[in-house]
Amino acid sequence: MKQTKEKGKIIAFCGIDGSGKSTQLRLVRDYLSKKAKVLVAKMSYSPLNQMGDSKLFDLILKGYSGLKIISYYYDLQHKDVFNYDYILCDRHLLCYLAYAYAYDVPHLDIVRDLLFMVDDPDLTFYFDVPVSVSMDRISKRTFRDRNENFDTLTKAKQGYEYTMGIFDNVYRIDGTLSVNEEFEEVVDKIRLLKR
């Protein structure tokens, strides 16, 4: 009897810009890559980040963004999920909906229902930081997106709180801890995932 290949474990790293999610993702990638086949999948908020120029342009961007996100998840679910032991998502649907909330995309519950083909990650880390801490970290970057500002990040943080309840397996990490403390907490949770 032919054995069916098992799906890789999907682990999502979420949080507002400057929350430390990308740092932790890199550490986890390096840690897991020593013993397993790991893919890092990154979802971009663009074109949502380009919104604000005109109502018609914003409407087109919202539609294009929806198509882009569907394509991203289709590839992830139907191609990559069987080829790796772990798929580390730098952002996931939770992030997209949180930022969609920040950009006033309506009816997020309907958007979530329309993306029924998207499996919830086996584990989602939400790195929770005050917006002031996030802004301080962002200010040290050489490149900043025009939407990395206090108001947008505040709304995105509200979006996370609003949308987290419709997802399973979301684990909140205190993003003000040291990098090593966060990493230990993250790895402890990953060890509980059965392979």
Side-chain angles (χ1 to χ4, degrees), residues 1 5 8 10 14 17 26 29 35-36 40-41 45 47 55 59 64 67 71-72 116 133 142 155 171:
M1 176 181 251
K5 193 168 184 183
I10 298 175
C14 298
D17 294 328
R26 283 192 299 273
R29 177 201 63 202
K35 297 181 180 179
V40 174
Y45 297 138
K55 287 185 178 180
L59 182 63
Y64 177 66
L67 291 174
S71 173
Y72 169 87
F116 59 88
V133 171
T142 54
K155 281 205 76 178
Y171 187 74

Side-chain angles (χ1 to χ4, degrees), residues 7-26:
K7 283 185 177 184
K9 298 294 184 186
I10 298 175
I11 304 171
F13 293 75
C14 298
I16 62 174
D17 294 328
S19 64
K21 64 185 178 298
S22 298
T23 298
Q24 289 302 318
L25 187 149
R26 283 192 299 273

Side-chain angles (χ1 to χ4, degrees), residues 114-181:
L114 288 173
L115 291 170
F116 59 88
M117 68 174 181
V118 181
D119 290 341
D120 284 353
D122 297 284
L123 184 59
T124 298
F125 293 109
Y126 167 58
F127 294 87
D128 189 11
V129 293
V131 174
S132 58
V133 171
S134 170
M135 289 299 299
D136 183 57
R137 292 174 180 172
I138 289 169
S139 71
K140 296 172 181 145
R141 295 178 180 171
T142 54
F143 173 78
R144 287 181 59 183
D145 187 283
R146 72 175 184 170
N147 290 300
E148 289 176 334
N149 59 63
F150 192 87
D151 290 341
T152 300
L153 293 178
T154 298
K155 281 205 76 178
K157 188 171 169 64
Q158 292 168 352
Y160 276 111
E161 298 299 333
Y162 176 80
T163 55
M164 273 177 28
I166 60 175
F167 290 88
D168 296 324
N169 307 316
V170 178
Y171 187 74
R172 188 185 299 259
I173 300 282
D174 180 353
T176 63
L177 295 173
S178 74
V179 171
N180 288 338
E181 288 173 319

Side-chain angles (χ1 to χ4, degrees), residues 31-137:
Y31 170 78
L32 292 175
S33 292
K34 294 173 185 173
K35 297 181 180 179
K37 194 171 178 187
V38 178
L39 170 73
V40 174
K42 183 166 184 173
M43 180 180 74
S44 173
Y45 297 138
S46 179
L48 282 183
N49 284 358
Q50 301 168 36
M51 287 179 59
D53 295 326
S54 75
K55 287 185 178 180
L56 177 60
F57 188 59
D58 286 356
L59 182 63
I60 293 167
L61 286 178
K62 286 176 184 179
Y64 177 66
S65 183
L67 291 174
K68 191 172 177 182
I69 201 75
I70 289 169
S71 173
Y72 169 87
Y73 284 115
Y74 182 84
D75 287 347
L76 192 62
Q77 296 293 128
H78 294 89
K79 294 179 182 176
D80 294 328
V81 79
F82 291 101
N83 297 325
Y84 294 88
D85 301 309
Y86 293 96
I87 296 159
L88 308 181
C89 296
D90 187 348
R91 303 181 177 122
H92 200 271
L93 186 55
L94 170 61
C95 302
Y96 179 77
L97 292 181
Y99 273 82
Y101 177 92
Y103 290 105
D104 298 316
V105 176
H107 312 300
L108 295 182
D109 52 340
I110 295 173
V111 173
R112 173 69 174 115
D113 290 343
L114 288 173
L115 291 170
F116 59 88
M117 68 174 181
V118 181
D119 290 341
D120 284 353
D122 297 284
L123 184 59
T124 298
F125 293 109
Y126 167 58
F127 294 87
D128 189 11
V129 293
V131 174
S132 58
V133 171
S134 170
M135 289 299 299
D136 183 57
R137 292 174 180 172

